[in-house]
Amino acid sequence: MNANVLVLNQDYQPLSICSVQRSMKLIFLEKAELLHDDPKKELRTIRESFQFPSVIRLRSYIRVPYNKVVLSRRNIMRRDNFTCMYCGSKNDLTIDHVWPKSRGGKDVWENLTTACEKCNVKKGSRTPQEAGMPIFKQPYRPIPITFFRDYNGNVQEPWKPYLYMTW
């Protein structure tokens, strides 16, 4: 039951990823339909067995006001693969401002990166160039479909037609 299910809008556009439990509730309440199941798995009760969902589609269209990845600490770390962009460490991670806040650096995707505590303290209120600490990968604003696709680091086979579609 620790699997993820891709949720599509009525127009087949990816909306989110939810748990198997949540997807089954949507199916039973007839708010969604099952598009793809995992043939190797099934959900069983005492009397019945059900297909194990992999992709569901909502029956009614959900209007999404804007299609942006929310700027949050967790999403920055996900974008940077939970790795310090200065030394490659995966321990004691923090968020670093590439252009320091003390010099007018903003809280935007392009100025925030993941750094371990040691590198963050070493860099201080300097730019990476001034500190002699090159960044492995320049920070960037993620594209929603790419970010969505890379949610777990791997993509289930039934999800691929929906995540690699172009609208």
Side-chain angles (χ1 to χ4, degrees):
M1 290 287 275
N2 289 339
N4 292 320
V5 177
L6 179 65
V7 180
L8 304 175
N9 211 341
Q10 188 182 25
D11 65 354
Y12 293 90
Q13 182 177 1
L15 272 183
S16 66
I17 296 171
C18 73
S19 67
V20 172
Q21 294 92 331
R22 176 77 176 138
S23 67
M24 289 306 292
K25 285 179 192 174
L26 291 170
I27 292 168
F28 281 127
L29 294 172
E30 297 183 358
K31 293 184 177 189
E33 63 180 323
L34 179 68
L35 292 182
H36 292 281
D37 66 331
D38 187 341
K40 298 174 190 164
K41 300 178 184 176
E42 66 180 357
L43 297 172
R44 297 185 56 85
T45 65
I46 296 172
R47 295 187 180 102
E48 295 182 62
S49 68
F50 301 95
Q51 296 170 312
F52 198 90
S54 178
V55 180
I56 62 171
R57 183 178 73 104
L58 298 178
R59 292 187 185 270
S60 58
Y61 183 79
I62 303 297
R63 190 175 157 273
V64 182
Y66 53 87
N67 199 9
K68 289 183 182 176
V69 179
V70 176
L71 177 64
S72 70
R73 178 182 184 86
R74 176 124 175 106
N75 284 343
I76 291 167
M77 291 199 183
R78 280 178 48 198
R79 176 199 66 191
D80 295 343
N81 199 25
F82 297 91
T83 305
C84 174
M85 290 292 109
Y86 298 108
C87 72
S89 171
K90 291 189 175 272
N91 300 323
D92 302 321
L93 296 177
T94 63
I95 301 298
D96 178 51
H97 288 78
V98 177
W99 188 263
K101 278 187 96 166
S102 62
R103 295 173 160 186
K106 306 278 187 217
D107 290 332
V108 294
W109 281 105
E110 296 80 4
N111 192 44
L112 296 169
T113 192
T114 305
C116 66
E117 286 181 14
K118 186 177 175 183
C119 289
N120 207 348
V121 169
K122 181 180 173 185
K123 180 178 162 287
S125 291
R126 300 178 289 176
T127 66
Q129 293 79 19
E130 293 170 348
M133 300 171 65
I135 299 177
F136 289 146
K137 188 169 65 173
Q138 277 301 120
Y140 62 93
R141 175 183 298 275
I143 299 166
I145 193 70
T146 309
F147 200 70
F148 197 82
R149 182 186 66 213
D150 297 336
Y151 183 110
N152 283 332
N154 63 352
V155 177
Q156 296 178 23
E157 200 60 39
W159 296 13
K160 288 182 180 180
Y162 304 105
L163 294 180
Y164 295 106
M165 289 171 96
T166 55
W167 289 279

